[in-house]
Structures are given as C-alpha cells and as structure tokens.
Amino acid sequence: MDIFGDVKKLGFGLMRLPLLNPDDEGSIDLELTKKMVDVFMEKGFTYFDTAIMYCGMKSQNAVKEVLTKRYPRESFTLATKMHAGFFDTTEERDRIFSEQLESTGVDYFDYYLIHDVGADRYDKYVELDCFNWLKELKAKGLVKHVGFSFHDNAEMLEKILSEQPDIEFVQLQLNYYDWESEGVQSRKCYEVCEKYGKPVVVMEPVRGGTLANVPPEAEKLFKDYNGEASVASWAIRFAASLPNVKMVLSGMSNMEQMEDNTGFMENFVPLNEEEGEIVRKAEAIIKESVAIACTGCSYCTEGCPMKIAIPRYFALYNVDMLEKDMNSWRPQGTYYERLAQVFGKPSECIACGKCEAICPQHLPIIEDLKIVAKHFEENGEA
C-alpha cells in the first residue's frame, strides 16, 4: 500500500514562513501565509509539514490559524514531529504530543515523525520506547502513518531500519549537491530506504536556498536550456524525479516562491536525460567554487592515526560556507557533531602529514582541518 496515495509531490514546509520582522523568527506574517496556503490548496496540493521548533516555536500554532481553522480536515494532510530535546520521560513525551494536537487544532496527524534521529539520539528514543509508542498512537487513530527524519550516515540509517521494521517512511535531506556527498550521503541513504522498501520524503531539496543562488556559469546552463524555469525548480525536480521519493518539501517564505513551485509542480514532469546531464554539469560548477577542493576519494583516511573522517568534514564545511549568508540555522553543525562521536575531530589532528603525502589533489589538509575546526568548534557552528 502506498501510504502517500496519488497526490502531487510538493509539500509546504512550514519552517521558513514569511515574517513581519526578519530578525524575529516567530513573527510570522499570518495574513500572507493564509494567502499562500490558499494558492497551494487551490492548485491541488495538500501536504503540510511542521515541527515544534520551527519559526521560533510558533509554526504549529500558525498551522491552526492559516490551515486547520479554515479548511475541512479531510482536505489536507498534516505532518509534525517529536524531538528528543523536548522530553526526558515518557510522561513528558505524552504531554507534548497532546499539546501538539491542541496547538495545531487537529484530533489526529496524518504523518507523525520522530525528529532528527541520529547516532546521538537513537538510544534515547529507544530507551523511552518511542518506536513502540508510535505504533500505539497509530492503533488509537491519533496518527495514520509513522516515520522519522534523519541527518546522519547510511550505515546508521540501515541500523535503525533493520531494528525498527514498523517505520513506514523516512524523511531525508536530499538534493543534487548532496547526492554524492560523503558528509550528507544523500544517495547512499536513499538507496538504504529503497532496500528496506521505505518511501522517502525529501527535505532541503534546494539546500536552504543555496541551489537557488548558484554561480553565474551554472545559472547560464539552466537558463540556456529553459529561460522560463527558475534555478530552484531544477533542484526540486531533481529530487521529485527519483522513483522512491513520494513528497518533496519546500520552505516557501514569499508568494513568488509559492507561485513558482506550484507552477512547475502542478503537472510535474520528471527530468529527462538531457536535463539530468545539465544538473550534473551545474553541480560540478558549484563544487568548483567551494572552499576546499576535496573530491572525497578518502585516500587520506586510511592511515590517519586519529581516525579523522577528513573528506566528510570537508564536505560539510564546503556546504556550510555556501549557505552561511543565507540561513541562520544550517544542518551541517548537526552532521559535524555526529561525525565527531564516531571519528576524531579536526581539532585532534596531530599534523603527522600522512594525509598530505597521499592526497591526489595535493591539498594542505593539515591547515584545512584547522580552518574547519575553528569554523565548527570555536565559532559555535556545531
């Protein structure tokens, strides 16, 4: 059974809503958001995604004002999440779930997710019996389908899916920039989901705006092929073209983005072979502009005495540098923290030089690791 049914693949991610004050993430422009919801629904889209901490903790409350008070319950589907940072007991967990129902104004959630499962939180979710709890919520009719969102590596994802067979779907960070990234591992994680028969919901298809603001040479490739299509549309269509992707979330913060996304996704056409090649060329151009020109070959990691996952840290740093002027919150810090629980930190480099001696790109890895360590550890990016 397809738990998403025959629905349009674009979801309204309620994480980056229009604001009345750009310096206050909680100052949601409710009137503009209502108009955006109306456009979304009028064009036949029905999937909305929120969470406790979105928009300065105000997103779930906004759902009630812009959606659930204004539309029949059966006309839309709503997803929200439970994050480990908000509870330490099963009683707190249950209380928060009840508060989520109240704040959003619904009596059930269509899709309910354990939020941001990774190596550092999985044990807590297991200890507090959250996966069995999901089954209980479903049996009671309080949620229809259960899943989790994920920011970690493919090996960890396989562990979770092998141990939690009742999970019905996974929400992944997936886009053409991260597709082959050793830091994010979009492709590898997608393939694990395919292996276990779990449909994928995509988050960050445009990487928080990074893939809507590409270098001029990459933008020219897109515009030469189709001058009418937005740069962002290529990224969203890349994700939506994958067969096992059932929903692509887009955080739309103005009406222009809403009209653009619903325009090309209303009658979605997957990327053809020529378009796929253009995306690959654009990806190469974007990656040429990155701060550290690591190709991810991993020759450097085999002999590292401190077990530092050098290419993966570099991949996270490169993406973070691309995004740093566009987004106040970025997921790279989370990935960094989780890598550091398994591998050595860049700051633990002893400058033995084994990595530089074998690097095919002849990168100054020792100095680059210092830069990465300062960025994520000393500057509080992690």
Side-chain angles (χ1 to χ4, degrees):
M1 182 187 72
D2 187 346
I3 65 171
F4 291 92
D6 186 21
V7 298
K8 296 181 186 295
K9 274 192 173 184
L10 179 68
F12 194 170
L14 305 174
M15 180 181 178
R16 298 183 178 100
L17 293 174
L19 303 177
L20 296 170
N21 177 1
D23 296 322
D24 178 4
E25 292 184 0
S27 64
I28 300 168
D29 187 336
L30 292 175
E31 294 308 309
L32 177 53
T33 304
K34 287 177 184 177
K35 294 175 182 177
M36 292 169 65
V37 167
D38 292 343
V39 170
F40 191 73
M41 295 286 282
E42 285 166 7
K43 293 192 176 183
F45 298 93
T46 58
Y47 192 98
F48 295 82
D49 174 88
T50 186
I52 297 170
M53 69 282 288
Y54 291 176
C55 296
M57 310 286 285
K58 299 292 180 64
S59 178
Q60 290 186 148
N61 298 92
V63 168
K64 181 186 289 187
E65 299 303 318
V66 304
L67 180 65
T68 61
K69 281 185 177 180
R70 303 173 63 241
Y71 285 90
R73 182 63 184 92
E74 66 275 9
S75 67
F76 63 87
T77 54
L78 180 62
T80 194
K81 313 171 187 77
M82 176 69 73
H83 193 287
F86 292 93
F87 67 95
D88 292 306
T89 66
T90 56
E91 291 77 15
E92 289 177 335
R93 180 200 66 195
D94 294 346
R95 173 183 55 78
I96 291 170
F97 179 80
S98 296
E99 291 173 354
Q100 288 179 295
L101 289 173
E102 181 179 356
S103 62
T104 55
V106 297
D107 54 11
Y108 69 90
F109 294 111
D110 300 276
Y111 303 93
Y112 196 78
L113 301 89
I114 299 295
H115 198 173
D116 195 12
V117 180
D120 55 343
R121 296 196 177 102
Y122 180 56
D123 288 345
K124 179 175 182 177
Y125 286 129
V126 171
E127 288 167 8
L128 292 176
D129 204 29
C130 290
F131 292 95
N132 285 323
W133 174 67
L134 289 180
K135 290 193 290 183
E136 293 169 6
L137 292 176
K138 185 177 177 182
K140 293 176 181 178
L142 295 172
V143 304
K144 290 189 174 181
H145 301 289
V146 298
F148 62 85
S149 63
F150 187 77
H151 287 287
D152 210 326
N153 62 62
E155 184 179 359
M156 186 66 198
L157 179 58
E158 179 142 20
K159 170 182 168 63
I160 296 169
L161 290 179
S162 67
E163 294 177 359
Q164 308 298 338
D166 294 311
I167 285 295
E168 295 176 274
F169 68 100
V170 180
Q171 188 162 307
L172 291 177
Q173 177 169 318
L174 189 156
N175 54 73
Y176 67 77
Y177 186 92
D178 290 326
W179 187 242
E180 297 293 350
S181 165
E182 273 304 305
V184 177
Q185 299 190 348
S186 286
R187 177 182 58 79
K188 291 180 179 180
C189 288
Y190 174 81
E191 290 173 351
V192 170
C193 289
E194 283 192 311
K195 175 181 176 180
Y196 284 85
K198 307 300 181 182
V200 171
V201 174
V202 169
M203 55 184 164
E204 300 292 351
V206 193
R207 281 213 120 277
T210 300
L211 300 182
N213 298 278
V214 300
E217 188 181 351
E219 182 174 1
K220 185 175 186 302
L221 280 177
F222 294 140
K223 293 299 183 181
D224 283 350
Y225 184 86
N226 183 349
E228 300 300 315
S230 67
V231 172
S233 71
W234 288 80
I236 292 175
R237 288 179 61 222
F238 170 85
S241 296
L242 295 163
N244 195 39
V245 167
K246 302 301 181 180
M247 188 63 57
V248 179
L249 304 177
S250 178
M252 295 170 274
S253 55
N254 56 54
M255 185 61 80
E256 181 182 7
Q257 292 173 0
M258 173 62 73
E259 291 177 341
D260 180 41
N261 288 350
T262 55
F264 65 80
M265 287 298 288
E266 188 173 7
N267 297 296
F268 169 65
V269 177
L271 294 178
N272 60 37
E273 186 174 341
E274 186 177 2
E275 289 173 318
E277 182 59 29
I278 289 170
V279 166
R280 286 187 285 274
K281 289 179 179 178
E283 175 198 0
I285 292 167
I286 296 167
K287 289 184 174 178
E288 284 177 1
S289 69
V290 298
I292 299 175
C294 173
T295 63
C297 70
S298 294
Y299 290 4
C300 56
T301 58
E302 185 67 27
C304 178
M306 304 309 292
K307 306 300 182 186
I308 301 170
I310 297 168
R312 296 167 80 171
Y313 285 120
F314 286 173
L316 294 177
Y317 175 75
N318 284 335
V319 172
D320 212 53
M321 293 303 289
L322 284 171
E323 288 190 2
K324 66 185 177 65
D325 294 327
M326 287 180 276
N327 299 296
S328 57
W329 179 87
R330 305 181 299 279
Q332 286 73 244
T334 299
Y335 282 107
Y336 185 91
E337 289 178 340
R338 288 174 178 166
L339 274 179
Q341 292 187 14
V342 180
F343 302 97
K345 293 182 178 181
S347 59
E348 294 170 344
C349 172
I350 59 173
C352 68
K354 290 183 178 179
C355 55
E356 293 188 357
I358 201 170
C359 176
Q361 310 303 319
H362 307 293
L363 298 177
I365 295 175
I366 295 170
E367 290 304 312
D368 285 341
L369 286 173
K370 291 178 182 177
I371 293 169
V372 172
K374 182 174 182 179
H375 179 74
F376 283 108
E377 297 174 30
E378 296 180 25
N379 293 341
E381 299 291 337

